[in-house]
Amino acid sequence: MKTLNTLKNNILRSIAVLTVLFSLNSCETLELEILESPNALTPASSDIDFYLNAMQLNMASFFNGVKDEGMQLTRMSHLYGPFYENAYSTTQMSGPWNSAYSNIFTDFDNMVPRAEEKGWETHIGIAKFIKAYAMITLVDYLGDVPYSQAALGVENLNPGVDSGASIYDAALALIQEAKNHFSVPAQSPSNDLFYGGSRDNWTRATNTLELKLRLQRRNAADSNDAGAINTLISNAASGLIVSTAHDFQFAYGTLNAAPDSRHPAYVSNYELAADVNSYMSNAYMAEFVAQKDVVDVRANYYFYRQDDDVTDNDDNEIPCGNERRPSHYSLSEIFCYIGYNDVTPAQSTSNGYWGRDHGDNDGIPPDGGLRTAWGLYPIGGQFDDGSFTSTSGNTMGLKGAGIQPILLSAYTHFMIAEWNLANGNTEVARQFLASGLAESFTKVTGFAAEMGNAGAVEFRADATIDGDAFLAGLSDNIDAYIEYVAGTGATSLWNTTDDKMGLLVQEYLLALWGNGVEAYNTFRRTDKPTDLQPLLKTANNDMIQSFFYPRTEVDNNNQLNQKSDHLVKVFWDN
């Protein structure tokens, strides 16, 4: 993983498409015939390395454009809703669609032939990896989409859709080809924004992407997948992303002038003082601070509390503070805020975690300087030392030097645990659950140091948390958490639960902060956990199984028919 600010900022300045690549959830769409843009890279104006960097930047943009929806639907972050049928418009996937078809696929077609002429195998392998990832994710979110007829320009202005299963097969072919390219010593990219040209790390990432693909379709009964998965797992130590040193992530910088190199979520949380523009999920935060008899230190890295006590704010700031829970909410369900007593509000308690319930679409009160913000990990925000001060602007924490956590070592361990549990290997699954948790804690607690600024884990003058005690007890707290969840003892959650898959996936969700893609996929693949917080305003829990096609694409392509509703499943979801 490469985190060189100066180098990256020079690259960003060199690529004129940056403002498009980093736009979030753009409502703009480009039709599949790919009209030439004056800002786009062209064969005449750019070399192979610039094409590669454009694809890498577009991959970060593509991932950023789909992660939030997955987090919202799995209660990792707040969904406005209020109902699934109107939670998202038919333009929701326009940005990722455009990033894939108009940018990634087009740059791939322009770059690969030129790289083949020079024998630049590493460049070709990276390009095939990125294209395969985009193809897989389009299917995961949208189902059947154009592929074989797409991006042909005037040769086919109305490309038909390919089945999701066939696109997965095509992506798998690219993955296998990419591994072959990485096995050949070749010219390294001049500026590889992910791995610095390391063919070993790219091979690990490609094998891990293959594991992800095959595991994702494990319920679709492909006869070759079981053997291939077992082979990948048996060679995990040398072939998969199994430690944080191998993590596949896109790292941002700290430049806050054009071009802005900071993590997009940092900009939306810290650009202006006391103006956090999104809500955390009450239910998700509760999993860290209210649902277990053990400390989860990741809470201090994931979330930044601006206020110490929700109970001392008035109804204008926390409107649900004197309301009763909806009738379809159980008494054990978090409602309004952690510690809220809706029977006797005066008896409510609060530890400062201020979010919203799933599907709460009430108006926005003046709480921008009160609600809980994203913290240090993964967006490069502020570590929560219990100072309870409002965000003060864009100089806090890591100043936006965060990451998009696309394929991390912890995820690999959780995937291996799932595979073993699904095949009856309970003890092996427990071991990989434990190692997955260990990788997650290592990543999160070491994140500031990894990004080159260990001092960002700071305990300020008004901190209410004893810094020395927190750091001295860090290792013991981590060990205690892993033992509590996945230990061999008779009282561990693993050994007392009747729903081991539910426990495994719940813990996976807690390790996936910042990655809604794997969360959304895993939830649909396993149908776990079964006790996610219901929508606030209805007991109807018909979750979104896939997203609508972008409206503009449907309007302009007579071969693309809009789905009837949000309940259309992708091919592997059975």
Side-chain angles (χ1 to χ4, degrees):
M1 188 279 295
K2 200 168 187 179
T3 326
L4 300 177
N5 258 356
T6 303
L7 175 62
K8 186 170 295 179
N9 290 335
N10 287 339
I11 295 169
L12 298 183
R13 288 190 177 96
S14 302
I15 300 176
V17 293
L18 182 71
T19 56
V20 176
L21 304 183
F22 270 37
S23 62
L24 303 181
N25 295 322
S26 172
C27 291
E28 296 180 26
T29 62
L30 291 181
E31 300 167 22
L32 288 175
E33 58 263 33
I34 315 299
L35 301 178
E36 184 171 310
S37 165
N39 290 327
L41 296 171
T42 66
S45 65
S46 304
D47 65 15
I48 297 170
D49 280 313
F50 270 24
Y51 271 118
L52 184 66
N53 289 152
M55 288 190 71
Q56 293 182 322
L57 289 166
N58 269 302
M59 180 168 185
S61 178
F62 176 80
F63 178 84
N64 189 67
V66 293
K67 68 175 177 59
D68 288 339
E69 290 80 359
M71 292 178 67
Q72 290 160 6
L73 291 172
T74 53
R75 285 66 159 178
M76 293 171 67
S77 60
H78 171 246
L79 172 77
Y80 275 92
F83 312 115
Y84 288 132
E85 53 264 35
N86 65 1
Y88 302 109
S89 73
T90 54
T91 63
Q92 190 70 28
M93 288 292 115
S94 294
W97 182 285
N98 181 61
S99 291
Y101 286 107
S102 299
N103 297 326
I104 292 173
F105 296 170
T106 302
D107 286 342
F108 177 93
D109 291 340
N110 284 327
M111 188 203 84
V112 169
R114 303 179 76 206
E116 288 174 339
E117 290 178 2
K118 292 181 175 290
W120 288 8
E121 299 289 328
T122 303
H123 291 71
I124 300 168
I126 294 172
K128 289 185 175 180
F129 174 97
I130 292 173
K131 183 175 182 179
Y133 184 91
M135 292 162 59
I136 294 166
T137 309
L138 285 172
V139 172
D140 293 341
Y141 274 63
L142 293 160
D144 300 343
V145 293
Y147 176 66
S148 60
Q149 301 176 20
L152 295 177
V154 295
E155 295 180 32
N156 189 345
L157 301 180
N158 295 285
V161 300
D162 295 76
S163 71
S166 68
I167 296 173
Y168 255 53
D169 287 339
L172 180 58
L174 284 177
I175 288 169
Q176 292 168 335
E177 291 169 11
K179 286 192 283 187
N180 291 333
H181 292 301
F182 294 136
S183 69
V184 179
Q187 170 78 24
S188 292
S190 60
N191 297 304
D192 175 3
L193 302 180
F194 285 97
Y195 281 136
S198 169
R199 290 186 294 113
D200 176 69
N201 278 341
W202 274 111
T203 300
R204 288 179 180 274
T206 307
N207 284 328
T208 305
L209 184 60
E210 179 181 348
L211 174 65
K212 162 186 158 71
L213 180 152
R214 292 187 184 277
L215 183 69
Q216 190 61 51
R217 67 181 188 185
R218 68 177 173 84
N219 296 324
D222 186 289
S223 59
N224 297 316
D225 283 341
I229 289 174
N230 289 331
T231 298
L232 288 167
I233 292 174
S234 67
N235 297 312
S238 60
L240 295 176
I241 297 172
V242 289
S243 77
T244 57
H246 313 138
D247 285 344
F248 182 71
Q249 60 194 34
F250 184 85
Y252 292 91
T254 60
L255 186 68
N256 65 353
D260 195 323
S261 71
R262 299 170 298 170
H263 194 293
Y266 182 88
V267 176
S268 64
N269 278 252
Y270 291 91
E271 181 67 13
L272 300 176
D275 191 33
V276 175
N277 75 352
S278 59
Y279 285 100
M280 298 293 109
S281 162
N282 283 332
Y284 191 69
M285 291 191 294
E287 291 293 333
F288 294 90
V289 301
Q291 305 289 44
K292 295 185 180 79
D293 297 324
V294 66
V295 173
D296 188 338
V297 296
R298 290 174 297 186
N300 297 82
Y301 298 82
Y302 281 13
F303 314 115
Y304 177 71
R305 291 169 292 171
Q306 300 186 91
D307 186 70
D308 66 335
D309 188 355
V310 183
T311 67
D312 62 6
N313 293 279
D314 62 36
D315 291 348
N316 290 326
E317 295 166 328
I318 186 77
C320 59
N322 280 303
E323 296 178 359
R324 295 298 300 269
R325 70 183 55 235
S327 60
H328 60 280
Y329 268 39
S330 69
L331 292 178
S332 62
E333 192 70 61
I334 298 295
F335 170 63
C336 190
Y337 58 84
I338 299 168
Y340 177 57
N341 184 332
D342 64 312
V343 177
T344 311
Q347 296 179 5
S348 298
T349 61
S350 171
N351 48 12
Y353 290 95
W354 186 315
R356 279 199 171 189
D357 298 317
H358 189 56
D360 182 351
N361 72 330
D362 285 351
I364 306 300
D367 63 352
L370 299 169
R371 66 180 78 160
T372 300
W374 287 70
L376 178 78
Y377 176 87
I379 73 161
Q382 180 68 39
F383 174 79
D384 188 347
D385 63 351
S387 292
F388 304 112
T389 56
S390 296
T391 57
S392 58
N394 56 28
T395 60
M396 296 185 75
L398 287 171
K399 302 178 183 178
I403 61 168
Q404 298 289 4
I406 303 172
L407 291 173
L408 304 187
S409 59
Y411 308 170
T412 304
H413 289 254
F414 276 100
M415 286 191 286
I416 296 173
E418 178 190 334
W419 175 250
N420 277 280
L421 185 57
N423 286 279
N425 302 319
T426 306
E427 173 56 20
V428 177
R430 184 200 64 78
Q431 293 171 12
F432 276 100
L433 167 59
S435 60
L437 289 170
E439 287 297 309
S440 174
F441 280 105
T442 297
K443 180 70 174 183
V444 173
T445 59
F447 183 64
E450 176 189 337
M451 301 307 289
N453 186 5
V457 179
E458 61 177 333
F459 295 85
R460 294 165 292 177
D462 50 358
T464 60
I465 296 174
D466 184 320
D468 292 337
F470 180 91
L471 295 175
L474 196 60
S475 179
D476 287 344
N477 278 326
I478 291 171
D479 291 343
Y481 184 94
I482 296 173
E483 181 63 26
Y484 179 87
V485 173
T488 58
T491 60
S492 73
L493 294 184
W494 183 261
N495 284 325
T496 56
T497 183
D498 294 327
D499 184 9
K500 286 181 169 51
M501 187 64 80
L503 173 63
L504 173 63
V505 175
Q506 180 62 61
E507 291 300 317
Y508 191 15
L509 294 181
L510 302 186
L512 280 169
W513 182 233
N515 186 325
V517 176
E518 302 311 318
Y520 183 44
N521 286 348
T522 303
F523 175 73
R524 288 177 295 161
R525 181 175 67 246
T526 63
D527 291 325
K528 303 290 183 179
T530 58
D531 58 351
L532 291 178
Q533 186 183 45
L535 285 168
L536 181 65
K537 298 186 177 180
T538 179
N540 185 341
N541 205 32
D542 291 336
M543 236 276 273
I544 294 173
Q545 302 298 329
S546 67
F547 287 84
F548 288 111
Y549 297 122
R551 184 183 63 224
T552 304
E553 308 305 328
V554 174
D555 291 344
N556 290 312
N557 182 352
N558 60 27
Q559 298 297 311
L560 188 63
N561 298 316
Q562 189 59 274
K563 300 171 187 176
S564 57
D565 55 37
H566 62 283
L567 301 177
V568 179
K569 293 186 175 184
V570 300
F571 82 96
W572 49 256
D573 185 7
N574 55 9

